[in-house]
Amino acid sequence: MSRPLRLTLLGATGSIGQSTLDVVARHPERYEVFALTAFQRVDALADLCRRFQPAYAVVASEVDGTRLRSLLEGSRTTVLHGTEALVAVAADAEVDVVMAAIVGAAGLLPTLAAVNAGKRVLLANKEALVMSGGLFMDALARSNATLLPIDSEHNAIFQCLPGGYRCGEAAVGVEQLLLTASGGPFRSWTLESMRSATPAQAVKHPKWIMGRKISVDSASLMNKGLELIEACWLFGLGPDRIRVVIHPESIVHSLVQYEDGSTLAQLGNPDMRTPIALGLAWPDRIAAGVGTLDLVAAGALHFEAPDEVRFPCLRLAREAFRQGGCAPAMLNAANEIAVAAFLDEKLAFTDIPQVIERTLTELPMMAAEGLPTILEADRIAREHATRLLATLH
Ligand code: NAD
Ligand code: MG
């Protein structure tokens, strides 16, 4: 094999970040860590830097940068801070692979920079693609970047598409995609009981251990809404050709249905190290530390239609995609504000879709003319959603 691939890991201290480093540590001959980034968890990042010896470590603020520098004194790691530094380590000429695992809109600029710089981009940060879909896929088509989906559903679909398929192309012979969803912790709750759901109940996902924001999104089904938009862009299909199916066991990660009547699925234990390993090694397969699926132990697998009355976020996401322009960016921004307020116990769980729907209907629509317009739409929607919080509490 040639030299090890150099990796920048955006969001190293998060759930995906940790799973990525777990896979990387199993294959020291294949991967070398070039940069690790985190928001505020300086001590956790310092530990990771001692272990993986990256050339660069990036945090958000100057104060945290100074603290990290003193913790890492005498090491080979250069400490940087701020968005420009994130963009620099994502686009550095020495980097081969960028794992985009920052949560939310904060990941957009470095992820886009990695695409523009022609990297192999492992996309976990779905919000970046939801916000800027057209622009993002145009950048991909213009650059020689390779985009590999890490979200388990999209990774499953990618695996079920013909060999050689590249994201952004129209897949030949595909009738529709089936996106599976666990249904989250409130799958069988009434609307009434969801009204008083607590953050602790919402983040207690039945099948996956994930960051707090995506866990709340899974409980509201906004995660599936964002994933519907993500799938439309990645696989070049309209929302009418992508169906969501509730599958509580989270064993079948998603499916592709072909025009000839074939349905292809990817199955596995629910563990993000599988899609991460596929992204890191593609087109090879490497050990990920994930146990072999035992179908007999798994037993019966169930599938049901989603209930868009109890879970309106799915409908809101579909409508935002159809509306186009900056609507998906505004949907995402309002959702980020509403979820943060819910986690802060300042908003009822069932008011999350209200904040999003009102933000989208009360603000004028904007065409997605370029990155500045998308960032402006994100800002305006955040401001509006924040104002709405006061009226709902
Ligand atoms: P997490 O909250 O566990 O980690 C987020 C990471 O982003 C952390 O390293 C944090 O330091 C960093 N970060 C947060 N805000 C930042 C900011 N403003 N600037 C710079 N860095 C910031 O989240 P996660 O569960 O690892 O999810 C990461 C992304 O992957 C999300 O977009 C999520 O939707 C997606 N994803 C996660 C899973 C999963 O199983 N966790 C599955 C599919 C997709
Ligand atoms: Mg997913």
Side-chain angles (χ1 to χ4, degrees), residues 126 151-154 214 223-224 227:
K126 65 193 89 187
D151 217 345
S152 57
E153 298 76 4
H154 307 73
I214 184 178
N223 184 48
K224 216 46 57 178
E227 290 184 358

Side-chain angles (χ1 to χ4, degrees), residues 224-344:
K224 216 46 57 178
L226 298 175
E227 290 184 358
L228 175 75
I229 298 176
E230 183 185 12
C232 289
W233 288 116
L234 287 175
F235 306 118
L237 292 172
D240 47 323
R241 301 211 11 228
I242 305 175
R243 275 183 55 200
V244 171
V245 182
I246 304 290
H247 167 48
E249 291 84 8
S250 295
I251 296 281
V252 178
H253 297 308
S254 276
L255 312 90
V256 178
Q257 298 193 300
Y258 286 92
E259 285 171 350
D260 64 2
S262 296
T263 296
L264 267 56
Q266 187 259 352
L267 286 73
N269 290 319
D271 188 320
M272 288 307 294
R273 290 176 299 176
T274 296
I276 290 167
L278 186 98
L280 283 169
W282 180 85
D284 294 349
R285 300 263 179 181
I286 57 171
V290 181
T292 309
L293 175 63
D294 181 343
L295 275 177
V296 174
L301 302 179
H302 297 87
F303 301 92
E304 60 193 59
D307 178 349
E308 294 194 11
V309 176
R310 281 184 305 135
F311 299 100
C313 286
L314 195 51
R315 169 181 62 80
L316 293 174
R318 191 183 300 110
E319 286 171 3
F321 181 82
R322 287 213 171 101
Q323 199 168 357
C326 288
M330 294 166 99
L331 167 103
N332 176 67
N335 181 55
E336 286 192 31
I337 294 294
V339 170
F342 167 70
L343 284 170
D344 220 12

Side-chain angles (χ1 to χ4, degrees), residues 162-248:
Y165 174 80
R166 294 177 79 86
C167 287
E169 290 174 354
V172 181
V174 171
E175 173 118 7
Q176 65 173 4
L177 306 178
L178 300 183
L179 272 185
T180 54
S182 71
F186 304 148
R187 180 173 60 91
S188 50
W189 287 35
T190 62
L191 247 184
E192 196 46 48
S193 49
M194 272 192 262
R195 242 182 275 283
S196 51
T198 65
Q201 290 168 323
V203 300
K204 201 169 175 300
H205 197 277
K207 293 289 170 193
W208 300 92
I209 302 160
M210 311 182 285
R212 283 162 71 76
K213 190 263 179 183
I214 184 178
S215 296
V216 177
D217 285 349
S218 298
S220 69
L221 283 202
M222 180 50 96
N223 184 48
K224 216 46 57 178
L226 298 175
E227 290 184 358
L228 175 75
I229 298 176
E230 183 185 12
C232 289
W233 288 116
L234 287 175
F235 306 118
L237 292 172
D240 47 323
R241 301 211 11 228
I242 305 175
R243 275 183 55 200
V244 171
V245 182
I246 304 290
H247 167 48

Side-chain angles (χ1 to χ4, degrees), residues 9-19 37-41 58-60 82-83 86 99-107 110 123-128 150-154 208-215 217 223 226-227 230 271-272 275-276:
L9 172 47
L10 304 168
T13 50
S15 163
I16 293 287
Q18 284 175 19
S19 295
T37 86
F39 184 40
Q40 286 169 321
R41 295 183 52 205
V58 184
V59 286
T83 305
L86 288 178
M99 165 58 88
I102 289 175
V103 59
L123 183 73
N125 180 206
K126 65 193 89 187
E127 295 92 345
I150 298 303
D151 217 345
S152 57
E153 298 76 4
H154 307 73
W208 300 92
I209 302 160
M210 311 182 285
R212 283 162 71 76
K213 190 263 179 183
I214 184 178
S215 296
D217 285 349
N223 184 48
L226 298 175
E227 290 184 358
E230 183 185 12
D271 188 320
M272 288 307 294
I276 290 167

